């Protein structure tokens, strides 16, 4: 009970620090890693350690599901080559490079153990990348590649991690068996994820209660992970592709109340999960340091700094030549893409955005305590400490310098581009609403309310076509109660018509996913307001 009270208290402190971080515009992951470090040097705190299997099952599925749900399928598909080169090729390249470094430079690190460390520190973190680049107007291509990479690289790194840990625990390893089994496990995980994503979408369509629907979204990543692991496929890939499928259908399957409640719930859950992982490592840091076998703390810190440097350099070395080879490959195959040239500034920003985060930390915490023969897992404490150092270095160095580099290199899209795109969507919605109202007027019902709505949308179309002005006018009240109720009912019908148009625009992929989600949030807010007015009249 005392341990639980301490964790709750520390979570409250973390919540308070997050408010301070927002005020000083400090990236959220940087706050977490510093909070974990401060907790680690705080005296008299207890050692709270969870079962490694529980750590893996409790933290990773929801974190991966939330990240995949926020990913645009159109962007994921459009940049699948670039994402694959980073999320698969770079992950294995980094894993092998770190493994070679650990095996030859760190005493006592066998090849399987070295590959465990390499797999843990190889994948950059989605939360870190998006939180640092938010509000910097990065081009859609860069943000989409970083987000897509962070999804798939977790899967490829964790599959490699599983094989490496199994080799350490069992003492046997076959590269050939691991190779073909990797393809089988990955393909099976994708298949399970697609099937479950479709099944969940169909189920959610039939549920109108927001609480039940939100509860299902909480259970989905755990069910997807468990089913895939039960049939001996990749639970990580199953969760990712389940999230992608449900995200694709989310515009259709969730109503306003469910969407608002679900988004708020997942914001809180993501904060708690990320915070708890760093609190957990902070509470264990003093005991991890005491548990070093042959190495001292300064030596382990030195190895951590060396591996951090190698991880950063390898990403830079990988991005530039592979981007050129990919461009050359597409030209040889006759695949023409827009702006098919190498943007060296954008490539550098992509190569510098390789911050490690909560997934690496949760994976390290999930290391088993002992081998099959009962002996302690070799160098577990050293691996945990090195992982924490790599996260600390990459987050602090890259997160704090990335915004400056983006501005310095001018790798930003003009704000006018996003504004223009929003205006185009609003204009299309307003014109479509006018057509809908014309059809309603032709039926000869509720003409007063329809004429008022038509006049409002006509003014909005005129503004969007000519004058730059916002459409935030308040609904005028009317002394005719019956007419006002008719007006509200018809306005709600127009909202539903606009929502159907957004679903169509989402499927076409003509506009940025961020713009579509923003318009959806505005429609949700308007729908809630109209429903509240209707209930009080």
């Amino acid at each position: 009970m005392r341990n639980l009270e301490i964790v709750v208290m520390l979570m409250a402190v973390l919540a308070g620090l997050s408010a301070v971080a927002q005020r000083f515009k400090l990236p959220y992951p940087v706050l977490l890693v510093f909070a974990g470090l401060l907790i680690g040097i705080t005296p008299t705190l207890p050692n709270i350690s969870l079962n490694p299997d529980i750590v893996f099952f409790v933290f990773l599925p929801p974190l991966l599901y939330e990240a995949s749900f926020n990913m645009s399928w159109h962007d994921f598909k459009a940049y699948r080559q670039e994402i694959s080169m980073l999320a698969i090729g770079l992950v294995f390249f980094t894993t092998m490079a770190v493994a070679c470094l650990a095996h030859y430079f760190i005493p006592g690190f066998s090849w399987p153990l070295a590959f465990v460390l390499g797999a843990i520190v190889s994948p950059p973190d989605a939360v870190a990348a998006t939180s640092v680049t938010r509000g910097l107007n990065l081009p859609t291509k860069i943000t989409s590649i970083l987000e897509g990479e962070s999804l798939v690289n977790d899967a490829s790194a964790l599959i490699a991690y599983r094989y490496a840990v199994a080799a350490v625990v069992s003492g046997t390893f076959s590269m050939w068996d691991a190779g073909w089994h990797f393809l089988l496990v990955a393909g099976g995980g994708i298949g399970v994820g697609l099937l479950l994503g479709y099944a969940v979408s169909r189920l959610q369509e039939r549920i109108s209660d927001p609480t039940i629907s939100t509860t299902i979204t909480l259970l989905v990543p755990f069910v997807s992970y468990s089913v895939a692991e039960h049939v001996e496929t990749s639970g990580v890939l199953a969760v990712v592709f389940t999230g992608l499928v449900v995200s694709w259908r989310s515009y259709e399957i969730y109503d306003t109340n469910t969407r608002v409640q679900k988004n708020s719930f997942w914001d809180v859950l993501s904060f708690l999960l990320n915070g708890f992982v760093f609190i957990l490592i902070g509470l264990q840091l003093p005991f991890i340091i005491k548990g070093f076998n042959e190495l001292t703390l300064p030596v382990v810190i030195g190895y951590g700094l060396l591996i951090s440097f190698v991880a950063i350099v390898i990403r830079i070395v990988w991005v530039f030549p592979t981007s050129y080879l990919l461009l050359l490959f597409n030209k040889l195959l006759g695949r023409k893409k827009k702006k098919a040239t190498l943007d060296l500034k954008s490539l550098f920003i992509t190569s510098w955005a390789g911050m490690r985060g909560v997934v690496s930390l949760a994976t390290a915490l999930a290391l088993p305590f002992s081998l099959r023969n009962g002996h302690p897992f070799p160098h577990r404490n050293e691996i945990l400490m090195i992982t924490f150092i790599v996260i600390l270095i990459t987050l602090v160095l890259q997160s704090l310098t990335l915004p400056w580099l983006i501005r310095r290199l001018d790798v930003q899209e003009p704000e006018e581009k996003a504004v223009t795109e929003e205006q185009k969507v609003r204009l299309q919605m307003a014109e479509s609403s006018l057509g809908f109202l014309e059809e309603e007027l032709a039926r000869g019902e509720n003409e007063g309310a329809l004429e008022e709505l038509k006049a409002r949308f006509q003014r909005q179309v005129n503004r969007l076509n000519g004058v730059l002005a916002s459409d935030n006018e308040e609904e005028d009240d009317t002394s005719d109660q019956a007419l006002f109720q008719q007006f509200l009912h018809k306005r709600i019908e127009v909202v539903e018509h606009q929502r159907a148009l957004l679903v169509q625009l989402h499927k076409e992929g003509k506009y940025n996913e961020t713009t579509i989600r923003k318009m959806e949030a505005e429609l949700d807010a308007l729908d809630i307001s109209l429903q509240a007015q209707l209930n009080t009249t």
Side-chain angles (χ1 to χ4, degrees):
M1 185 64 185
R2 170 172 166 75
N3 291 345
L4 181 60
E5 290 176 350
I6 292 174
V7 170
V8 171
M9 179 189 68
L10 292 174
M11 291 296 295
V13 172
L14 192 62
L17 288 176
S18 66
V20 176
Q22 290 178 359
R23 181 174 181 180
F24 291 97
K25 297 182 179 181
L26 185 67
Y28 173 56
V30 176
L31 165 74
L32 291 179
V33 73
F34 275 121
L37 185 61
L38 290 174
I39 292 170
I41 61 177
T42 302
T44 71
L45 288 178
N47 177 22
I48 300 177
S49 60
L50 299 178
N51 184 293
D53 292 332
I54 293 177
V55 173
F56 214 89
F57 179 73
V58 169
F59 292 102
L60 290 180
L63 289 173
L64 293 172
Y65 183 79
E66 197 244 354
S68 62
F69 191 89
N70 293 325
M71 178 69 194
S72 167
W73 176 259
H74 286 297
D75 293 339
F76 186 83
K77 183 179 178 181
Y79 304 118
R80 59 188 180 277
Q81 290 182 328
E82 294 86 347
I83 290 172
S84 299
M85 294 293 287
L86 292 172
I88 300 175
L90 178 57
V91 162
F92 289 133
F93 184 51
T94 304
T95 299
M96 289 187 291
V98 172
C100 291
L101 180 67
H103 177 70
Y104 289 111
F105 285 88
I106 304 179
F109 269 64
S110 63
W111 276 116
L113 195 62
F115 272 101
V116 169
L117 177 59
I120 289 175
V121 301
S122 61
D125 184 59
V127 175
T130 54
S131 63
V132 172
T133 58
R134 186 180 294 116
L136 296 176
N137 297 325
L138 270 181
T140 302
K141 180 177 181 179
I142 296 180
T143 56
S144 299
I145 290 174
L146 292 177
E147 291 175 4
E149 175 203 0
S150 298
L151 285 179
V152 182
N153 68 12
D154 290 339
S156 52
L158 289 173
I159 293 175
Y161 163 84
R162 282 288 182 88
Y163 286 118
V165 170
V168 174
V169 172
S170 64
T172 60
F173 179 76
S174 170
M175 182 65 74
W176 170 254
D177 290 341
W180 72 263
H181 199 233
F182 171 84
L183 297 176
L184 181 64
V185 166
I190 293 172
V192 170
L194 294 174
L195 288 175
L196 285 178
Y198 176 78
V200 170
S201 300
R202 296 299 300 269
L203 174 64
Q204 293 280 45
E205 284 180 326
R206 292 163 172 77
I207 297 175
S208 58
D209 185 281
T211 301
I212 295 176
S213 186
T214 303
T215 302
I216 291 175
T217 66
L218 173 62
L219 298 176
V220 164
F222 299 106
V223 172
S224 180
Y225 183 86
S226 299
V227 170
E229 290 292 319
H230 183 72
V231 297
E232 298 182 351
T233 59
S234 171
V236 174
L237 278 173
V239 171
V240 167
F241 278 86
T242 299
L244 286 173
V245 173
V246 176
S247 174
W248 172 258
R249 298 286 317 281
S250 64
Y251 294 89
E252 303 169 80
I253 63 179
Y254 297 124
D255 59 25
T256 297
N257 293 327
T258 299
R259 186 162 34 249
V260 172
Q261 180 170 307
K262 176 187 67 66
N263 291 341
S264 300
F265 170 80
W266 275 96
D267 286 342
V268 174
L269 181 64
S270 178
F271 171 80
L272 293 176
L273 289 175
N274 279 277
F276 192 82
V277 170
F278 281 90
I279 285 177
L280 193 60
I281 189 66
L283 291 173
Q284 293 187 37
L285 275 180
F287 303 91
I288 289 172
I289 295 172
K290 292 178 182 178
F292 291 162
N293 293 323
E294 304 171 2
L295 306 177
T296 62
L297 178 59
V299 173
V300 174
I301 292 176
Y303 288 134
L305 294 174
L306 179 61
I307 291 175
S308 301
F309 174 77
V310 169
I312 292 172
V313 171
I314 282 176
R315 183 176 177 89
I316 298 174
V317 170
W318 176 271
V319 167
F320 286 90
T322 54
S323 298
Y324 175 78
L325 291 175
L326 189 60
L327 179 63
L328 182 62
F329 176 75
N330 286 325
K331 285 184 177 180
L332 291 175
L333 294 181
R335 297 174 181 172
K336 295 183 179 180
K337 290 189 174 183
K338 294 181 179 179
K339 299 181 180 180
T341 58
L342 291 179
D343 184 349
L344 297 182
K345 293 181 179 180
S346 296
L347 289 179
F348 181 76
I349 294 301
T350 302
S351 67
W352 194 250
M355 295 78 69
R356 273 57 177 178
V358 67
V359 172
S360 293
L361 192 54
T363 307
L365 288 169
L367 286 171
F369 290 109
S370 60
L371 307 178
R372 287 182 180 177
N373 57 14
H375 293 164
F377 192 93
H379 297 287
R380 185 179 189 273
N381 292 320
E382 287 84 348
I383 292 176
L384 281 168
M385 191 66 192
I386 290 173
T387 302
F388 184 78
I389 293 170
V390 172
I391 294 171
L392 175 66
I393 296 301
T394 56
L395 276 179
V396 173
L397 176 62
Q398 295 179 295
S399 292
L400 298 182
T401 57
L402 188 59
W404 178 82
L405 286 170
I406 291 173
R407 298 186 184 96
R408 181 71 176 176
L409 298 177
D410 193 24
V411 186
Q412 294 176 293
E413 288 185 341
E415 294 184 8
E416 293 77 11
K417 181 178 180 179
V419 173
T420 301
E421 183 169 282
E422 285 185 22
Q423 287 182 338
K424 289 180 179 179
V425 176
R426 294 183 194 278
L427 177 60
Q428 194 165 344
M429 292 170 63
E431 290 177 338
S432 179
S433 300
L434 277 176
F436 172 77
L437 292 172
E438 290 285 359
E439 294 178 1
E440 289 291 302
L441 275 171
R443 300 176 184 177
E445 298 179 1
N446 302 321
E447 292 187 3
L450 288 170
E451 288 289 355
E452 173 64 19
L453 269 177
K454 182 181 175 182
R456 288 170 183 255
F457 279 105
Q458 188 62 60
R459 290 196 297 271
Q460 183 180 4
V461 169
N462 293 338
R463 284 197 302 271
L464 290 169
N465 275 322
V467 182
L468 291 177
S470 61
D471 183 43
N472 294 327
E473 58 178 320
E474 297 180 358
E475 304 290 351
D476 296 331
D477 200 356
T478 177
S479 57
D480 189 341
Q481 191 75 6
L483 178 61
F484 184 56
Q485 287 189 344
Q486 292 173 7
F487 174 85
L488 291 176
H489 279 293
K490 289 302 176 183
R491 188 68 180 91
I492 291 173
E493 289 183 22
V494 173
V495 169
E496 292 304 315
H497 173 78
Q498 292 178 323
R499 199 183 304 281
L501 176 62
L502 274 185
V503 172
Q504 179 184 340
L505 296 177
H506 159 67
K507 290 182 177 180
E508 293 174 354
K510 181 179 179 181
Y511 297 105
N512 191 289
E513 190 80 7
T514 302
T515 302
I516 299 296
R517 289 190 184 276
K518 181 177 180 179
M519 297 299 105
E520 181 188 56
E522 290 183 5
L523 286 181
D524 288 341
L526 178 58
D527 191 14
I528 292 173
S529 174
L530 292 171
Q531 293 288 355
Q533 292 180 68
L534 190 61
N535 292 333
T536 56
T537 56

